[in-house]
Amino acid sequence: MHQNELPALRAPYKLDAGEGIRYAFGNHLATLIARPEQLGQRACGSVLTGAKGAKFPLHRHLSTHEALFVLDGVISLVLAGHSYLLTPGDYVNIPAGTPHGYEFADHRGKLLSWAFGGNASQAYSRLGKLYAGTVYVAAEERIDWSLLDQAVDTEVIADGDKSNHEWSPKLTFAPHGIHPFVLAASEGERMIAGDQLYTILGNQTHSGGVFIALLTEGPIGQAIPRHRHERVTELFHCLNGEMEMFAGDGFVSLTPGDFLHIPPATAHSFQLKKHDTRFLGFITPGEFEPFFHYLCEPFDGYRYPLVPFPFRFDRVIQHLGELDLTVLERPGQPAGEVAHSR
Amino acid sequence: MHQNELPALRAPYKLDAGEGIRYAFGNHLATLIARPEQLGQRACGSVLTGAKGAKFPLHRHLSTHEALFVLDGVISLVLAGHSYLLTPGDYVNIPAGTPHGYEFADHRGKLLSWAFGGNASQAYSRLGKLYAGTVYVAAEERIDWSLLDQAVDTEVIADGDKSNHEWSPKLTFAPHGIHPFVLAASEGERMIAGDQLYTILGNQTHSGGVFIALLTEGPIGQAIPRHRHERVTELFHCLNGEMEMFAGDGFVSLTPGDFLHIPPATAHSFQLKKHDTRFLGFITPGEFEPFFHYLCEPFDGYRYPLVPFPFRFDRVIQHLGELDLTVLERPGQPAGEVAHSR
């Protein structure tokens, strides 16, 4: 039971939705769910919410690569000079140096932020104070943005307040390489293994190999084989439905908003327990990406199909030597798998 | 365990997210979660999803009053000649006779529909067939909309395809009386009881007394006193977090997407079990609305406050004679309640 605190270094842990270290600044609330003290690397996960109109002004990080995923609400974003109207499921890649800022456009805005390589997430403790509540404060307290500087890897940029709300289109396919982009909900590189759809939102090239971000969705199904990585950390966010995970030495159940940290050398597995369960995983370093290409077949659709595809664990086994993967159980075929005609 | 079937008349029941009687038509999927056979009245609850671009053409119902709540995704709606871009949390009131139609604007659109007074929800079985899957079919199968007629209280209207996508503003306050309207997420009549925020989306006047729709949100808290209604049916949808409900003769846990039917004469209670838990209730008939005005204090904010307000069960007790309410437990003050300065 963690209340406004987080566990020790490299311990596997689950946080219930809303739990974490909470900082209130003005009518924003930042909830830190994992920091370098837990992750053993310069990285930080946060959930950002705010009142309608709460605004984080245009800024940039020199060392921090940030990725955003919209969990709820409508949010306007400025990224590298373009304006976007973000809605749930959109994904934003923000390489170090990219000017960005956002404003909550309704009362329910909720952003998941993962920051890698720098300490920009320390900005929240600079700006605000520890807060016992779990939703933002409605009060209109002024925020002193001048508290931010290079010591927290955050440079606030004069905005020019161009107020140009011509929305740029969100991408349906992310460009290769370290570029800022906004990927529309459900878009990305889509693949199927068995009855589960995997969608890569951020691939290795987008962060220079630091991490990948991918969605997994599927029907009620069987547990995947328990396995372990020696270097790879996995960061799971349940978005829809319910999943049961084996983590270290026991099972935990995740429902929407829950977070699970799987550090290296931790046995783990997942099983989808409800129809149309969906989760988002950040995996660091990104070198584990080929695993998904071995396991899956490319797929054009956007939702998991009624009839399962092949589950190419055979290909994973062929490439075990090049993957940071120790399989701890004999993998079975998913129940009810049938030959799939393409 | 109900799979593509629903329970007997006026039985309390829970459906896991995604469960219900599922009809596929083209690239739409309608999941019926409660019908007259369960509810004992002309009413039906459905969850509607579809592929990006899936469109339900402009139509109207002569007897059916419909209410929509956006559960996920982005959806364009035409209502009484105006176009709206719906995002999660928006609420739509559609009195009988009002032309309306919608199109899923991304891959994640999900609408909750409650239909009262007519049998328009039978349109789904006319249009489609029972389907084992739990997500829509991507295939581009043509839908024969001419199958709809007065026997399923649905008249398809020539569209004129004006394609005028100038979005009308969503309301922040719903007008009195039986009018079509679109209420923006989190807007509505807001009230506090103890540490919980209640938001009335649809009041009695909006449906001529047939039903009310209201959101409840709050922190981890105590169970409300068990109680029972003799005529009132309550239809609960968990949206965020987790809640435990007492229903009839035992406890059930609801997480996002789960549905619970509480028919008349059923003892029930709820307890919020996670931070920032939120649920939507449809309550029919709407005559129970005054209960919330007795229990609550008016509130201008949009999220539950850190410091609880009074819990005016004393006022409820004073008006018990006029409410369809039998309290089965002694109500206590919420834990940690303190005097609140207004």
Side-chain angles (χ1 to χ4, degrees):
Chain A
M1 178 75 76
H2 297 283
Q3 292 193 325
N4 251 347
E5 61 172 13
L6 291 172
L9 178 65
R10 295 200 161 178
Y13 65 93
K14 173 195 168 185
L15 288 182
D16 266 8
E19 203 40 81
I21 302 181
R22 300 183 290 277
Y23 292 100
F25 49 104
N27 49 5
H28 296 246
L29 185 74
T31 303
L32 275 57
I33 57 174
R35 298 183 302 181
E37 293 86 332
Q38 286 73 47
L39 300 166
Q41 63 177 291
R42 278 172 95 82
C44 186
S46 324
V47 176
L48 310 170
T49 63
K52 182 176 179 176
K55 186 175 178 177
F56 203 114
L58 202 64
H59 62 287
R60 72 182 145 214
H61 315 300
L62 289 185
S63 312
T64 307
H65 186 117
E66 191 174 4
L68 300 174
F69 182 85
V70 182
L71 294 170
D72 201 357
V74 179
I75 300 157
S76 70
L77 172 82
V78 174
L79 180 76
H82 296 273
S83 294
Y84 300 89
L85 189 66
L86 302 181
T87 48
D90 292 347
Y91 176 80
V92 186
N93 192 52
I94 311 176
T98 310
H100 62 288
Y102 59 82
E103 178 174 340
F104 294 106
D106 69 8
H107 306 282
R108 302 238 21 117
K110 187 180 287 188
L111 281 171
L112 172 66
S113 160
W114 275 99
F116 294 90
N119 67 334
S121 301
Q122 291 184 358
Y124 307 123
S125 56
R126 275 271 184 103
L127 289 170
K129 45 183 187 283
L130 282 172
Y131 184 67
T134 53
V135 298
Y136 57 76
V137 184
E140 279 295 341
E141 191 189 325
R142 221 182 68 80
I143 300 167
D144 182 3
W145 299 104
S146 75
L147 292 169
L148 301 182
D149 59 25
Q150 286 184 15
V152 294
D153 192 22
T154 303
E155 179 193 358
V156 175
I157 304 167
D159 199 339
D161 192 27
K162 52 187 164 67
S163 301
N164 170 18
H165 276 322
E166 185 136 333
W167 305 118
S168 293
K170 298 179 268 196
L171 299 184
T172 57
F173 192 83
H176 241 57
I178 308 181
H179 303 293
F181 64 80
V182 177
L183 191 65
S186 300
E187 301 291 356
E189 186 179 358
R190 298 182 302 283
M191 305 178 281
I192 297 265
D195 53 9
Q196 290 169 356
L197 171 66
Y198 294 76
T199 304
I200 297 183
L201 306 178
N203 68 25
Q204 288 188 84
T205 78
H206 298 148
S207 59
V210 175
F211 69 94
I212 63 170
L214 87 164
L215 290 168
T216 305
E217 63 163 58
I220 294 170
Q222 304 225 318
I224 64 161
R226 277 183 214 172
H227 61 281
R228 190 177 73 203
H229 314 292
E230 305 311 320
R231 295 180 305 281
V232 166
T233 294
E234 294 196 68
L235 306 155
F236 293 98
H237 300 271
C238 181
L239 301 176
N240 298 84
E242 183 183 337
M243 54 200 287
E244 186 176 72
M245 294 206 62
F246 186 86
D249 55 2
F251 289 96
V252 289
S253 176
L254 305 191
T255 56
D258 292 349
F259 166 67
L260 183 69
H261 169 232
I262 299 287
T266 305
H268 62 284
S269 165
F270 67 82
Q271 181 174 15
L272 308 186
K273 306 285 275 191
K274 280 189 175 176
H275 299 311
D276 199 8
T277 290
R278 190 170 64 126
F279 66 90
L280 172 61
F282 281 79
I283 303 179
T284 176
E287 65 190 36
F288 194 63
E289 182 180 346
F291 166 82
F292 299 99
H293 296 286
Y294 296 138
L295 182 69
C296 300
E297 302 285 341
F299 187 64
D300 280 338
Y302 287 92
R303 305 306 309 275
Y304 60 88
L306 185 60
V307 177
F309 272 49
F311 185 76
R312 297 300 307 271
F313 217 87
D314 59 312
R315 282 203 306 234
V316 171
I317 299 294
Q318 279 171 31
H319 293 87
L320 263 188
E322 61 191 85
L323 293 170
D324 174 14
L325 176 65
T326 306
V327 179
L328 303 173
E329 281 182 329
R330 179 187 173 83
Q333 293 288 88
E337 179 168 346
V338 299
H340 196 279
S341 57
R342 300 291 301 282
Chain B
M1 180 76 73
H2 296 282
Q3 294 193 325
N4 251 347
E5 60 172 14
L6 291 172
L9 178 65
R10 295 202 161 174
Y13 64 93
K14 174 196 168 183
L15 288 181
D16 267 7
E19 204 40 80
I21 301 181
R22 299 183 290 277
Y23 292 100
F25 50 104
N27 48 6
H28 296 247
L29 186 73
T31 302
L32 275 56
I33 57 174
R35 298 184 301 182
E37 295 86 333
Q38 285 74 45
L39 300 165
Q41 62 176 293
R42 280 171 92 83
C44 185
S46 323
V47 176
L48 309 170
T49 64
K52 182 176 178 175
K55 186 176 177 175
F56 203 114
L58 202 65
H59 62 286
R60 71 182 143 212
H61 315 300
L62 289 186
S63 312
T64 306
H65 186 117
E66 190 174 4
L68 300 174
F69 182 84
V70 182
L71 294 169
D72 201 359
V74 179
I75 299 156
S76 70
L77 172 83
V78 175
L79 180 76
H82 296 273
S83 294
Y84 301 89
L85 189 66
L86 302 182
T87 47
D90 292 346
Y91 176 80
V92 186
N93 192 53
I94 312 176
T98 309
H100 62 289
Y102 60 81
E103 179 174 339
F104 294 106
D106 70 7
H107 306 283
R108 304 238 20 118
K110 186 179 286 187
L111 281 171
L112 172 66
S113 159
W114 275 98
F116 294 89
N119 67 333
S121 301
Q122 291 184 358
Y124 306 123
S125 57
R126 275 271 184 101
L127 290 170
K129 46 183 188 286
L130 282 172
Y131 184 66
T134 53
V135 298
Y136 56 77
V137 184
E140 278 296 339
E141 191 189 326
R142 220 180 69 78
I143 300 167
D144 182 3
W145 300 104
S146 75
L147 292 168
L148 302 181
D149 58 25
Q150 286 184 16
V152 294
D153 192 22
T154 303
E155 179 194 359
V156 175
I157 304 166
D159 200 338
D161 191 28
K162 54 188 163 67
S163 301
N164 169 18
H165 275 321
E166 184 134 335
W167 305 118
S168 293
K170 298 180 267 196
L171 299 184
T172 56
F173 192 83
H176 240 59
I178 307 180
H179 304 293
F181 64 79
V182 175
L183 191 64
S186 300
E187 302 290 356
E189 185 179 358
R190 299 183 301 284
M191 305 177 283
I192 297 264
D195 52 11
Q196 290 169 355
L197 171 66
Y198 293 76
T199 304
I200 297 183
L201 307 178
N203 67 26
Q204 287 188 84
T205 77
H206 299 147
S207 60
V210 175
F211 67 94
I212 65 170
L214 87 164
L215 290 169
T216 305
E217 64 164 57
I220 294 170
Q222 304 226 316
I224 64 161
R226 277 185 214 172
H227 61 281
R228 188 176 73 202
H229 314 292
E230 305 312 319
R231 295 180 305 281
V232 165
T233 293
E234 293 196 67
L235 306 155
F236 292 99
H237 300 272
C238 181
L239 301 176
N240 298 84
E242 183 181 337
M243 55 201 285
E244 186 176 71
M245 295 206 62
F246 186 85
D249 54 2
F251 289 95
V252 289
S253 176
L254 304 191
T255 57
D258 292 348
F259 166 67
L260 183 69
H261 169 231
I262 300 287
T266 304
H268 62 284
S269 164
F270 68 82
Q271 181 174 15
L272 307 186
K273 305 285 275 191
K274 279 189 176 176
H275 298 311
D276 200 8
T277 290
R278 190 170 64 126
F279 65 90
L280 172 62
F282 282 78
I283 303 179
T284 177
E287 65 190 37
F288 195 62
E289 183 181 344
F291 167 82
F292 298 99
H293 296 287
Y294 295 139
L295 183 68
C296 299
E297 301 286 341
F299 187 64
D300 280 339
Y302 287 92
R303 306 304 310 275
Y304 60 87
L306 186 61
V307 178
F309 272 50
F311 185 75
R312 298 300 306 271
F313 218 86
D314 59 311
R315 282 203 305 233
V316 170
I317 298 295
Q318 279 171 31
H319 293 86
L320 263 188
E322 62 192 82
L323 294 170
D324 174 12
L325 175 66
T326 306
V327 180
L328 303 172
E329 281 182 331
R330 179 188 173 83
Q333 292 288 87
E337 178 167 348
V338 301
H340 196 281
S341 56
R342 301 290 300 283

